[in-house]
Amino acid sequence: MIRSVGVKITGIGRYVPQLTAANADYERIVDTSDEWITQRTGIKTRHISDGEPTYYLGLRAAQEAVADAGIEVSDIGLIIATTCTPDYYTPSTACLIQRGLGDSDCPAIDINCACSGFVYAVDMARRYLACGDIKRVLVVAAEELSKFVDYTDRSTCILFGDAAAAVVLEKSDDTLYSSFLAADGSGARFLAARALLTENPFRQHDSEFDMDMPVPNKHYLLQDGKEVYKFATKALPKAVENACKKADITPDELDAVIPHQANVRIIETAAKHLGLSMDKMILNISDYGNTSSASIPNAFYDAVKSGRIKRGDKVCFVGFGGGLTYGACVLEF
Ligand code: ACO
């Protein structure tokens, strides 16, 4: 096992809206069934925003993580928010969370790597911490997929929920840490939600750009489920294997793998490829659905609180999603 400069997770937090939507609720709005959703995805229910904005979910999760770490807000040296469902183009979600936390003037940035956001953010935090001038990083993953979901499209609306989860990270010398991050922009068209089009008064031409991207209905999320499924079942094991290889350990030496919670079948297939039993895979998708970048820290939160993951365990966070992006981090909790 290779030891290097890594991170320790000193605080965790989570917040989800109170409102829930179970499979039976979707039976009333689209042509679907609890049986289809359960068999194809493993999802039973999700938490859905009742008007709370994305940043608010993130703020509540961040407040818990800061309290759990036993620090003051002023001790945080950097806030990284990860979201593909922000409330504003500007200000960033990180700045809105900072506003809510108060007593902070540290740098605050958003990153958007869809469902891989948490893994990318942890790795980015580790690189800032390794430089030494920043002592603590607050990573907050906050998502409201309910904003982007077309509730008339049964193939996507049943998948997604809203959640936020946060961690406080500090530098840890001589520890287990490795990461593998990747992206494949050639698959951008398989998962897309469009932002604003230019409507300036000088425009003379119809756009001939992005002809390969899907034509969306408003800003709604469009997904080629089969292509994303194929990508995910390869990306997940590849990321875990590569991150383990860099740390000179094998996947079976991990105590837990915390994968992006997109679909139980994707996770089962990946576990098989990795030669791991499902006991190693942390799952909470049945209660939350796919909450994009919040899903990994949310599953981690439940596993820590239930005692399934303990201090000193070797864990692997692994994400995959829009971009297409994927990646994994291996570290000691
Ligand atoms: N209820 C009932 N039937 C449905 C539903 C539904 N909610 N949705 C689709 N169907 C139907 C289809 O119309 C199709 O009917 P047909 O055979 O008459 O044409 C049939 O079910 C099978 O559809 P498929 O799309 O082949 O179903 P599949 O088994 O592939 O499951 C799913 C679909 C669950 C979306 C799957 O493809 C999947 O999980 N893909 C990956 C999604 C994913 O991981 N996305 C997250 C990426 S993360 C991010 O960045 C946001």
Side-chain angles (χ1 to χ4, degrees):
M1 179 171 107
I2 297 170
R3 303 183 83 85
S4 62
V5 177
V7 290
K8 57 175 178 274
I9 299 172
T10 55
I12 56 173
R14 186 263 299 282
Y15 186 79
V16 291
Q18 297 233 307
L19 183 69
T20 56
N23 291 347
D25 297 312
Y26 288 77
E27 290 175 0
R28 286 193 282 277
I29 58 170
V30 286
D31 181 12
T32 191
S33 65
D34 174 42
E35 192 191 357
W36 192 97
I37 300 172
T38 307
Q39 281 180 2
R40 301 284 178 128
T41 71
I43 300 166
K44 281 291 192 187
T45 191
R46 319 114 189 99
H47 293 255
I48 304 279
S49 168
D50 198 11
E52 310 95 321
T54 303
Y55 85 81
Y56 177 78
L57 307 188
L59 172 61
R60 294 291 298 268
Q63 285 167 330
E64 186 186 342
V66 170
D68 189 46
I71 59 168
E72 301 297 326
V73 169
S74 56
D75 295 329
I76 299 164
L78 170 67
I79 300 171
I80 304 176
T82 136
T83 186
C84 60
T85 53
D87 305 303
Y88 299 89
Y89 288 116
T90 188
S92 67
T93 302
C95 283
L96 292 169
I97 290 169
Q98 186 190 44
R99 178 187 67 158
L101 288 171
D103 196 23
S104 166
D105 62 358
C106 72
I109 50 175
D110 280 12
I111 61 168
N112 174 355
C113 321
C115 309
S116 310
F118 181 72
V119 173
Y120 269 66
V122 168
D123 195 59
M124 205 164 140
R126 182 254 180 178
R127 289 168 198 275
Y128 272 98
L129 290 166
C131 285
D133 53 341
I134 284 177
K135 304 291 179 215
R136 287 178 197 85
V137 180
L138 172 66
V139 170
V140 190
E143 301 281 10
E144 281 186 0
L145 277 296
S146 62
K147 282 180 196 162
F148 282 179
V149 162
D150 177 354
Y151 283 98
T152 65
D153 174 5
R154 68 176 180 172
S155 68
T156 54
C157 73
I158 51 102
L159 297 172
F160 297 104
D162 302 334
V167 294
V168 175
L169 299 171
E170 292 181 30
K171 185 174 146 189
S172 180
D173 291 319
D174 192 28
T175 190
L176 171 67
Y177 185 89
S178 73
S179 64
F180 169 83
L181 302 182
D184 174 12
S186 71
R189 66 186 182 283
F190 297 137
L191 194 50
R194 195 163 67 184
L196 297 178
L197 294 174
T198 179
E199 283 180 10
N200 71 66
F202 312 109
R203 189 175 160 185
Q204 295 179 9
H205 296 104
D206 285 335
S207 174
E208 286 175 14
F209 293 94
D210 297 329
M211 300 299 276
D212 67 326
M213 294 295 282
V215 179
N217 174 8
K218 300 186 192 161
H219 60 281
Y220 293 139
L221 186 80
L222 283 176
Q223 169 175 263
D224 184 330
K226 282 199 188 333
E227 286 297 336
V228 177
Y229 192 94
K230 271 196 280 179
F231 155 73
T233 49
K234 288 195 191 107
L236 199 166
K238 181 176 167 187
V240 175
E241 269 163 1
N242 280 299
C244 286
K245 208 169 173 182
K246 280 175 147 181
D248 198 24
I249 62 169
T250 54
D252 62 296
E253 289 177 67
L254 294 165
D255 295 297
V257 176
I258 305 101
H260 169 46
Q261 311 282 305
N263 186 322
V264 169
R265 290 189 300 145
I266 292 174
I267 297 170
E268 285 169 349
T269 308
K272 225 175 261 172
H273 283 312
L274 288 164
L276 298 179
S277 87
M278 281 301 284
D279 297 349
K280 290 248 168 156
M281 312 301 278
I282 302 297
L283 285 176
N284 71 354
I285 187 174
S286 67
D287 295 338
Y288 300 97
N290 179 345
T291 59
S292 193
S293 70
S295 88
I296 295 173
N298 183 26
F300 178 66
Y301 181 94
D302 274 342
V304 171
K305 292 292 172 187
S306 69
R308 164 65 184 83
I309 291 178
K310 298 179 198 59
R311 282 284 165 198
D313 279 359
K314 295 185 193 68
V315 303
C316 177
F317 299 126
V318 54
F320 52 86
L324 301 166
T325 56
Y326 56 112
C329 295
V330 169
L331 54 94
E332 233 160 36
F333 175 46

